Amino acid sequence: MQITKYTHACVRIEQDGRVLVIDPGTWSEPDALAGADAVLVTHEHTDHVDVLRLAGLGVPVYAPADADIPRLDVIGVSSGTEFTAAGFRIRAVGGRHASIYGGLPDCANLGYVVDEAVYHPGDSLHVPEQQIETLLVPVQGSWLKMVEAIDFVKAVGPRRAFGIHDAQINDRGLGSVNGWLGEETSHGYRYLRPGESL
């Protein structure tokens, strides 16, 4: 399985010629979707879903059933739902976006566990019940503190973790965030720049 990180929260997963893209938002590169067989969207915010790009793509787009994504036909899924997308086994987990202030925003947010191995939580720190091999950990957001990101990695306990959700942080801040996650977690934390794969 090859995982390629794109700007912000967008991740492309490829295996045996199959391509699954998670959270291609307005900040991610258009080539993340080249040859995509299916798309998973964690929630309705534009940094995670580019409606115009996806509307013309012509592939299945899965999103929370309660998400408000006008002008885009999606296949609605709920927490606990298991399905197949682009030949990958998917389990939807979680349910709500992390709160920023005063309980807002309050929108549906699903994390996706791909082939029981890779977990993309969207804008949430929901800890799934199953063991996770590769965690895509949000490193910055108006809804996130560094201590929460570190504790999230420790609670999930993956074999390895990679930073996502980083487009609003400059290089100095990114160096600090990556340093903290690398020092405080023993889960093979690594940062991939946009376009890098593993």
Side-chain angles (χ1 to χ4, degrees):
M1 181 183 292
Q2 177 176 299
I3 301 171
T4 303
K5 181 195 182 300
Y6 287 86
T7 296
H8 202 49
C10 182
V11 176
R12 179 182 170 106
I13 300 174
E14 300 177 69
Q15 187 169 30
D16 301 326
R18 298 172 286 126
V19 179
L20 177 68
V21 180
I22 306 174
D23 278 1
T26 55
W27 298 344
S28 62
E29 297 81 359
D31 63 336
L33 291 166
D37 297 303
V39 172
L40 305 179
V41 172
T42 61
H43 65 287
E44 62 199 48
H45 294 156
T46 59
D47 58 324
H48 293 259
V49 56
D50 186 331
V51 171
L52 293 178
R53 217 182 296 163
L54 291 178
L57 192 60
V59 302
V61 177
Y62 300 83
D66 294 337
D68 181 17
I69 309 176
R71 300 178 310 279
L72 182 63
D73 289 329
V74 300
I75 301 166
V77 295
S78 301
S79 185
T81 301
E82 295 185 24
F83 58 98
T84 301
F88 294 92
R89 289 173 295 117
I90 311 297
R91 177 178 295 132
V93 298
R96 304 307 295 175
H97 190 289
S99 175
I100 295 174
Y101 182 76
L104 297 174
D106 184 28
C107 66
N109 181 103
L110 292 175
Y112 297 107
V113 179
V114 180
D115 277 352
E116 299 294 329
V118 178
Y119 177 40
H120 190 307
D123 282 7
S124 169
L125 299 178
H126 175 82
V127 177
E129 294 178 7
Q130 68 268 29
Q131 180 62 42
I132 299 297
E133 180 180 316
T134 302
L135 173 63
L136 305 171
V137 58
V139 299
Q140 190 277 333
S142 51
W143 50 273
L144 180 66
K145 293 192 300 188
M146 189 75 257
V147 66
E148 295 170 330
I150 292 169
D151 287 347
F152 178 57
V153 175
K154 290 181 175 183
V156 174
R159 192 172 69 109
R160 59 187 180 176
F162 299 94
I164 61 168
H165 208 275
D166 58 354
Q168 292 181 302
I169 189 169
N170 65 24
D171 284 340
R172 184 177 295 129
L174 195 54
S176 175
V177 164
N178 289 331
W180 276 104
L181 282 163
E183 290 173 22
E184 296 298 326
T185 65
S186 57
H187 300 92
Y189 177 79
R190 180 177 162 202
Y191 179 73
L192 298 175
R193 292 215 171 264
E196 282 190 286
S197 301
L198 60 113

